[in-house]
Amino acid sequence: MSSKLQLTTLAVLVSAALPAQAALYKVVEVAPGVSGNEVYGTAIQPGATTDPKGCFVDDCADGASYKLAGETRNRPDGFSYREEVPFAMDNSFGYIEDDYDGFEDYCFYQLGYATCEYWASDRWSSWYNETYSSNTPNSLAFIEGSAEKPSGAINTVINSLDPSGQPVGNFSTSSKRNEAFSAVTNSTLTSKAQSRAWASDGTYTVGSTSSKSGIGVERYYYSSAPAIWSASGFVSIPRAGGYEVDGDYYAQGSMRDFYIDSAGGKTYGVGYNNYSDQHMNATIFIGNSATPTSATWSSALIYNAQVDISGDNINSNSVATNINKNLVVVGQAKRSGGFPQNGAASNRLFIVPDASASSINASFFYGGIFFDGAGGEMGGINNFNEIVGRIDSENHREYDGKQRRQRAFIYPYGMTPKTDSSEETAITARRAIFKNKAWLLDDLTNGGSESSNNNQYRIYDASDINDAGVISATAVKCSGGYDSTSHNAYCGDGNGTEKVVAVKLVPIAGADASAIQPRSYDSTATERQGAGLGFGTLTILGLFGFMRKRIK
């Protein structure tokens, strides 16, 4: 009997011995309602349940009360439709100006893969189409099966949903590289050459604005600044240092999320700002009023995640992506190609437990599934301090090698300095469901009555989580189920068709730590051969992971 068959048989026997509710999450595929070869989940509607344990107690069925937003792709982005500058780091526009050679140089100097010709060719062909050719739409956005296409839009992305389920994001037109859209509009915003929206509470929206359109003769050499606005007010956050233009470099900044501390009379935003030597560093923005558009704003650099550490550009750039009501901040810092760590110039994930602390320092995820030098992409954090995203699930050397495979995770962080004492019991109880540690989400979708359905999916990315515990995610699907329940199982003995789909992960009512049944690993190496991956397995490993910046 083969080792693969032994593992499969063992998994079936163990599954049969477990209670029917085994597995913590039900995987619910979401129909996009728009065309596209591949479908990605990007955001989940905020919301909670009546019970502090969320959908783990209240039966949320298929999660219909919480809308999922997503996007399609027929090809990889030339460079990310969401970021202020190419590869989230090229504020000299040097790489992108050099066309194909620039894409290959970026890969060679900042990623180090042995596959840079392939990597560059894929993205250059998309950039060429968007820049010089037909400009055929590639990113079509949707919310629960209904298309979201602002008037005149070409490519549209949704970064988040507001509490009413309205989209927050940006889109390109024939005259602007990016234009923000949300339920909150402002005449000052619409007059800007470019704008992006990242998060909104329905009254205020945060993002960035740019000085040129990024289209035509203004394609290169524009600067951007963090911004927050309401229907009646608009504030552009000052640069933390340097100049708008410094030699070949153009200042950049962005606010990605915010929280209004009404009791403390302050507003906290997170993102990145421009500092000396035009470095783009993760930042906490502090407004001295609970009315953000009336506040005076300052910027606090997040130490340990900055570009320049002891005189060397250890990181190429960094960004704080999310903040919750406990003032917990999460983000990511791209390791410079000149200073790889454990064989990779990875995009490391970090946390700041208290945005109001007198000294702001990032702590990088480490331990358990987070090995030293692991790279990933931050997804989000809810008000129970549960963090989701994706992380390397392989630890081979990337420099002069191939990209590591990544998988989605959840990290129940637990108590932090600003956690309200009245919520400590709820956070402790929710953390106990996960045995007080981080998991790959594939380990939490295995077993019980949902096993057959869930075994059709391997969860690649978790982009957002709400207080009910519902997660927006992206999965690779093998219709009918993989050959076994293992992490690296074949689809149709390696000849099946896999496709990329948007999914919700909905907690199963009544499930607790006893339901966790980790997936095994087949001893046989898996080589994906399905036709459904379109532009290749490597693309899904890095499609949205562009936290990159050139060494200066």
Side-chain angles (χ1 to χ4, degrees):
M1 181 182 292
S2 71
S3 59
K4 180 179 176 182
L5 181 58
Q6 289 173 336
L7 287 169
T8 304
T9 303
L10 178 60
V12 171
L13 292 173
V14 171
S15 175
L18 287 172
Q21 81 276 7
L24 291 186
Y25 292 96
K26 176 191 307 183
V27 182
V28 180
E29 187 174 343
V30 176
V34 293
S35 62
N37 292 338
E38 303 186 346
V39 186
Y40 297 82
T42 62
I44 198 74
Q45 182 179 354
T49 64
T50 56
D51 192 281
K53 284 190 178 180
C55 298
F56 287 108
V57 170
D58 290 341
D59 188 356
C60 296
D62 288 343
S65 297
Y66 310 103
K67 298 177 181 178
L68 177 141
E71 301 156 13
T72 63
R73 293 291 190 278
N74 293 314
R75 57 185 186 274
D77 304 5
F79 70 84
S80 173
Y81 302 128
R82 354 181 83 81
E83 295 291 347
E84 278 75 18
V85 293
F87 314 124
M89 56 72 58
D90 187 14
N91 58 340
S92 71
F93 298 91
Y95 284 128
I96 204 70
E97 188 178 29
D98 288 343
D99 293 334
Y100 171 82
D101 290 341
F103 280 84
E104 189 173 19
D105 284 348
Y106 168 76
C107 181
F108 181 80
Y109 290 110
Q110 284 301 313
L111 303 178
Y113 305 147
T115 55
C116 280
E117 287 187 6
Y118 169 83
W119 187 97
S121 178
D122 247 11
R123 285 153 183 80
W124 158 247
S125 60
S126 283
W127 172 243
Y128 183 89
N129 178 76
E130 295 159 14
T131 309
Y132 307 114
S133 188
S134 62
N135 213 3
T136 304
N138 183 36
S139 182
L140 302 179
F142 65 91
I143 300 177
E144 291 285 329
S146 298
E148 291 292 330
K149 186 177 181 182
S151 178
I154 299 172
N155 290 308
T156 305
V157 296
I158 296 176
N159 294 316
S160 63
L161 295 174
D162 73 15
S164 299
Q166 296 301 304
V168 183
N170 52 272
F171 62 96
S172 63
T173 68
S174 60
S175 60
K176 289 187 178 183
R177 167 82 186 168
N178 282 287
E179 184 163 349
F181 73 102
S182 71
V184 181
T185 59
N186 182 282
S187 58
T188 301
L189 178 77
T190 55
S191 69
K192 298 292 184 178
Q194 282 194 80
S195 57
R196 295 164 180 80
W198 284 88
S200 179
D201 64 0
T203 301
Y204 298 96
T205 298
V206 296
S208 67
T209 61
S210 300
S211 61
K212 293 183 179 180
S213 69
I215 296 291
V217 296
E218 296 185 325
R219 187 173 307 283
Y220 309 118
Y221 316 131
Y222 54 81
S223 63
S224 62
I228 184 167
W229 62 89
S230 65
S232 58
F234 177 91
V235 175
S236 181
I237 310 299
R239 294 181 182 85
Y243 306 92
E244 180 176 4
V245 181
D246 184 5
D248 294 334
Y249 294 88
Y250 291 75
Q252 308 293 334
S254 178
M255 192 182 296
R256 301 296 176 86
D257 198 8
F258 71 107
Y259 176 71
I260 298 174
D261 179 10
S262 298
K266 292 184 177 181
T267 302
Y268 294 89
V270 297
Y272 71 89
N273 206 343
N274 183 78
Y275 291 79
S276 60
D277 293 329
Q278 301 297 81
H279 291 156
M280 298 155 59
N281 287 327
T283 296
I284 296 172
F285 304 102
I286 304 169
N288 64 353
S289 170
T291 304
T293 51
S294 299
T296 299
W297 288 85
S298 61
S299 295
L301 183 147
I302 298 177
Y303 288 95
N304 297 337
Q306 76 270 30
V307 170
D308 188 325
I309 298 177
S310 300
D312 290 317
N313 288 354
I314 301 298
N315 295 308
S316 59
N317 82 332
S318 59
V319 62
T321 58
N322 303 91
I323 184 171
N324 68 6
K325 71 176 185 179
N326 303 314
L327 301 188
V328 181
V329 176
V330 292
Q332 52 202 22
K334 168 64 173 67
R335 192 83 177 185
S336 169
F339 293 88
Q341 181 181 12
N342 288 344
S346 56
N347 195 46
R348 298 178 300 159
L349 310 183
F350 68 76
I351 187 167
V352 176
D354 181 7
S356 67
S358 57
S359 179
I360 305 296
N361 295 282
S363 296
F364 290 97
F365 290 6
Y366 183 72
I369 64 173
F370 306 114
F371 59 85
D372 189 24
E377 187 81 3
M378 188 60 71
I381 183 171
N382 64 14
N383 288 315
F384 292 95
N385 297 338
E386 294 163 346
I387 305 165
V388 295
R390 71 174 187 262
I391 197 70
D392 288 341
S393 59
E394 300 172 326
N395 62 0
H396 60 256
R397 183 179 179 86
E398 284 192 324
Y399 241 72
D400 300 321
K402 63 179 182 178
Q403 288 176 268
R404 295 167 177 165
R405 192 180 302 276
Q406 296 184 334
R407 286 293 181 261
F409 73 85
I410 185 167
Y411 181 12
Y413 189 76
M415 241 56 75
T416 53
K418 292 295 182 180
T419 300
D420 191 302
S421 59
S422 65
E423 296 177 344
E424 289 184 1
T425 299
I427 289 178
T428 299
R430 286 180 67 136
R431 193 166 187 256
I433 295 172
F434 303 97
K435 297 185 179 180
N436 303 314
K437 66 178 184 178
W439 293 87
L440 296 180
L441 281 164
D442 279 337
D443 284 325
L444 307 183
T445 63
N446 186 35
S449 60
E450 292 296 330
S451 186
S452 178
N453 173 67
N454 285 0
N455 193 45
Q456 298 182 99
Y457 306 93
R458 294 297 181 268
I459 313 303
Y460 161 68
D461 185 36
S463 56
D464 197 8
I465 182 170
N466 65 17
D467 289 346
V470 181
I471 298 169
S472 60
T474 301
V476 181
K477 180 182 181 182
C478 175
S479 294
Y482 285 89
D483 294 356
S484 75
T485 60
S486 67
H487 278 286
N488 58 337
Y490 284 98
C491 177
D493 201 28
N495 297 308
T497 298
E498 296 172 288
K499 62 180 182 178
V500 179
V501 297
V503 297
K504 292 179 186 177
L505 301 184
V506 184
I508 298 171
D512 58 22
S514 66
I516 297 176
Q517 183 181 337
R519 296 184 186 275
S520 62
Y521 285 90
D522 288 342
S523 59
T524 311
T526 298
E527 293 293 335
R528 307 278 184 202
Q529 297 179 24
L533 283 181
F535 45 80
T537 306
L538 286 176
T539 299
I540 194 172
L541 293 172
L543 184 59
F544 292 132
F546 292 135
M547 278 299 307
R548 322 296 191 193
K549 187 178 186 295
R550 185 166 71 181
I551 302 171
K552 292 184 62 179

